[in-house]
mmCIF file of all heavy atoms in Angstrom:
data_model
loop_
_atom_site.group_PDB
_atom_site.id
_atom_site.type_symbol
_atom_site.label_atom_id
_atom_site.label_comp_id
_atom_site.label_asym_id
_atom_site.label_seq_id
_atom_site.Cartn_x
_atom_site.Cartn_y
_atom_site.Cartn_z
ATOM 1 N N VAL A 38 64.721 144.592 42.083
ATOM 2 C CA VAL A 38 63.963 144.131 41.001
ATOM 3 C C VAL A 38 63.971 142.655 40.991
ATOM 4 O O VAL A 38 64.993 142.033 40.863
ATOM 5 C CB VAL A 38 64.551 144.789 39.608
ATOM 6 C CG1 VAL A 38 63.792 144.283 38.471
ATOM 7 C CG2 VAL A 38 64.616 146.319 39.740
ATOM 8 N N ASP A 39 62.807 142.091 41.017
ATOM 9 C CA ASP A 39 62.676 140.623 40.940
ATOM 10 C C ASP A 39 62.558 140.204 39.438
ATOM 11 O O ASP A 39 61.722 140.668 38.783
ATOM 12 C CB ASP A 39 61.553 140.104 41.765
ATOM 13 C CG ASP A 39 61.801 140.296 43.233
ATOM 14 O OD1 ASP A 39 62.932 139.933 43.653
ATOM 15 O OD2 ASP A 39 60.830 140.661 43.912
ATOM 16 N N ILE A 40 63.477 139.322 38.991
ATOM 17 C CA ILE A 40 63.404 138.841 37.603
ATOM 18 C C ILE A 40 62.835 137.383 37.715
ATOM 19 O O ILE A 40 63.438 136.500 38.361
ATOM 20 C CB ILE A 40 64.819 138.894 36.983
ATOM 21 C CG1 ILE A 40 65.441 140.177 37.056
ATOM 22 C CG2 ILE A 40 64.686 138.376 35.505
ATOM 23 C CD1 ILE A 40 64.747 141.337 36.319
ATOM 24 N N PRO A 41 61.751 137.106 37.027
ATOM 25 C CA PRO A 41 61.194 135.813 36.981
ATOM 26 C C PRO A 41 62.177 134.775 36.404
ATOM 27 O O PRO A 41 62.953 135.067 35.428
ATOM 28 C CB PRO A 41 59.937 135.875 36.138
ATOM 29 C CG PRO A 41 59.573 137.298 36.209
ATOM 30 C CD PRO A 41 60.829 138.050 36.337
ATOM 31 N N LYS A 42 62.255 133.619 36.955
ATOM 32 C CA LYS A 42 63.198 132.530 36.553
ATOM 33 C C LYS A 42 62.895 132.283 35.030
ATOM 34 O O LYS A 42 63.955 131.997 34.363
ATOM 35 C CB LYS A 42 62.732 131.231 37.352
ATOM 36 C CG LYS A 42 63.708 130.040 36.997
ATOM 37 C CD LYS A 42 63.408 128.842 37.814
ATOM 38 C CE LYS A 42 64.271 127.733 37.379
ATOM 39 N NZ LYS A 42 64.019 126.470 38.211
ATOM 40 N N GLU A 43 61.634 132.294 34.546
ATOM 41 C CA GLU A 43 61.464 132.078 33.173
ATOM 42 C C GLU A 43 62.159 133.066 32.234
ATOM 43 O O GLU A 43 62.625 132.720 31.216
ATOM 44 C CB GLU A 43 59.946 132.072 32.827
ATOM 45 C CG GLU A 43 59.136 131.107 33.668
ATOM 46 C CD GLU A 43 58.732 131.584 35.109
ATOM 47 O OE1 GLU A 43 58.556 132.776 35.226
ATOM 48 O OE2 GLU A 43 58.718 130.813 36.011
ATOM 49 N N ASP A 44 62.158 134.311 32.715
ATOM 50 C CA ASP A 44 62.835 135.414 31.924
ATOM 51 C C ASP A 44 64.356 135.140 31.877
ATOM 52 O O ASP A 44 65.000 135.377 30.887
ATOM 53 C CB ASP A 44 62.471 136.790 32.499
ATOM 54 C CG ASP A 44 61.098 137.138 32.155
ATOM 55 O OD1 ASP A 44 60.325 136.475 31.318
ATOM 56 O OD2 ASP A 44 60.536 138.138 32.865
ATOM 57 N N VAL A 45 64.903 134.773 33.062
ATOM 58 C CA VAL A 45 66.343 134.417 33.134
ATOM 59 C C VAL A 45 66.641 133.329 32.168
ATOM 60 O O VAL A 45 67.638 133.509 31.430
ATOM 61 C CB VAL A 45 66.771 134.136 34.580
ATOM 62 C CG1 VAL A 45 68.237 133.693 34.576
ATOM 63 C CG2 VAL A 45 66.467 135.388 35.501
ATOM 64 N N LEU A 63 62.266 140.399 25.289
ATOM 65 C CA LEU A 63 61.682 140.600 26.649
ATOM 66 C C LEU A 63 61.401 142.080 26.793
ATOM 67 O O LEU A 63 62.352 142.915 27.128
ATOM 68 C CB LEU A 63 62.649 140.169 27.740
ATOM 69 C CG LEU A 63 62.980 138.660 27.759
ATOM 70 C CD1 LEU A 63 64.158 138.403 28.625
ATOM 71 C CD2 LEU A 63 61.790 137.900 28.373
ATOM 72 N N LYS A 65 60.277 143.982 28.909
ATOM 73 C CA LYS A 65 60.471 144.716 30.147
ATOM 74 C C LYS A 65 61.972 145.219 30.148
ATOM 75 O O LYS A 65 62.282 146.126 30.961
ATOM 76 C CB LYS A 65 60.437 143.652 31.326
ATOM 77 C CG LYS A 65 58.971 143.156 31.644
ATOM 78 C CD LYS A 65 59.004 142.255 32.751
ATOM 79 C CE LYS A 65 57.705 141.510 32.854
ATOM 80 N NZ LYS A 65 57.760 140.404 33.798
ATOM 81 N N ALA A 70 66.383 149.714 34.942
ATOM 82 C CA ALA A 70 66.634 148.931 36.222
ATOM 83 C C ALA A 70 66.314 147.510 35.956
ATOM 84 O O ALA A 70 67.086 146.653 36.471
ATOM 85 C CB ALA A 70 65.699 149.528 37.343
ATOM 86 N N TRP A 71 65.209 147.153 35.213
ATOM 87 C CA TRP A 71 64.927 145.807 34.980
ATOM 88 C C TRP A 71 65.935 145.057 34.109
ATOM 89 O O TRP A 71 66.395 143.993 34.310
ATOM 90 C CB TRP A 71 63.542 145.656 34.287
ATOM 91 C CG TRP A 71 62.921 144.361 34.388
ATOM 92 C CD1 TRP A 71 62.013 143.985 35.450
ATOM 93 C CD2 TRP A 71 63.080 143.263 33.499
ATOM 94 N NE1 TRP A 71 61.769 142.576 35.178
ATOM 95 C CE2 TRP A 71 62.281 142.141 34.059
ATOM 96 C CE3 TRP A 71 63.670 143.088 32.340
ATOM 97 C CZ2 TRP A 71 62.206 140.887 33.358
ATOM 98 C CZ3 TRP A 71 63.672 141.813 31.700
ATOM 99 C CH2 TRP A 71 62.888 140.726 32.233
ATOM 100 N N ALA A 72 66.375 145.828 32.983
ATOM 101 C CA ALA A 72 67.465 145.303 32.106
ATOM 102 C C ALA A 72 68.710 144.980 32.861
ATOM 103 O O ALA A 72 69.444 143.952 32.670
ATOM 104 C CB ALA A 72 67.654 146.199 30.984
ATOM 105 N N THR A 73 69.112 145.919 33.756
ATOM 106 C CA THR A 73 70.354 145.691 34.551
ATOM 107 C C THR A 73 70.216 144.521 35.384
ATOM 108 O O THR A 73 71.132 143.715 35.480
ATOM 109 C CB THR A 73 70.665 147.111 35.307
ATOM 110 O OG1 THR A 73 70.756 148.167 34.313
ATOM 111 C CG2 THR A 73 71.904 146.848 36.121
ATOM 112 N N ALA A 74 69.057 144.424 36.111
ATOM 113 C CA ALA A 74 68.862 143.313 37.056
ATOM 114 C C ALA A 74 68.800 141.971 36.172
ATOM 115 O O ALA A 74 69.326 140.950 36.678
ATOM 116 C CB ALA A 74 67.536 143.500 37.752
ATOM 117 N N LEU A 75 68.294 142.045 35.068
ATOM 118 C CA LEU A 75 68.265 140.860 34.218
ATOM 119 C C LEU A 75 69.714 140.429 33.808
ATOM 120 O O LEU A 75 69.974 139.229 33.889
ATOM 121 C CB LEU A 75 67.445 140.991 32.918
ATOM 122 C CG LEU A 75 67.378 139.850 31.928
ATOM 123 C CD1 LEU A 75 66.801 138.621 32.539
ATOM 124 C CD2 LEU A 75 66.709 140.226 30.628
ATOM 125 N N SER A 76 70.472 141.447 33.423
ATOM 126 C CA SER A 76 71.927 141.128 33.102
ATOM 127 C C SER A 76 72.612 140.425 34.237
ATOM 128 O O SER A 76 73.374 139.465 34.081
ATOM 129 C CB SER A 76 72.536 142.322 32.620
ATOM 130 O OG SER A 76 73.920 142.158 32.423
ATOM 131 N N ALA A 78 71.237 138.748 36.708
ATOM 132 C CA ALA A 78 70.642 137.434 36.930
ATOM 133 C C ALA A 78 71.143 136.375 35.868
ATOM 134 O O ALA A 78 71.397 135.280 36.199
ATOM 135 C CB ALA A 78 69.107 137.541 36.855
ATOM 136 N N VAL A 79 71.286 136.775 34.599
ATOM 137 C CA VAL A 79 71.783 135.922 33.556
ATOM 138 C C VAL A 79 73.323 135.529 33.917
ATOM 139 O O VAL A 79 73.580 134.365 33.780
ATOM 140 C CB VAL A 79 71.642 136.585 32.243
ATOM 141 C CG1 VAL A 79 72.390 135.870 31.171
ATOM 142 C CG2 VAL A 79 70.176 136.667 31.789
#
Side-chain angles (χ1 to χ4, degrees):
V38 178
D39 291 320
I40 307 295
K42 181 179 178 181
E43 302 82 37
D44 290 343
V45 174
L63 291 166
K65 293 177 194 171
W71 199 90
T73 303
L75 177 64
S76 176
V79 168

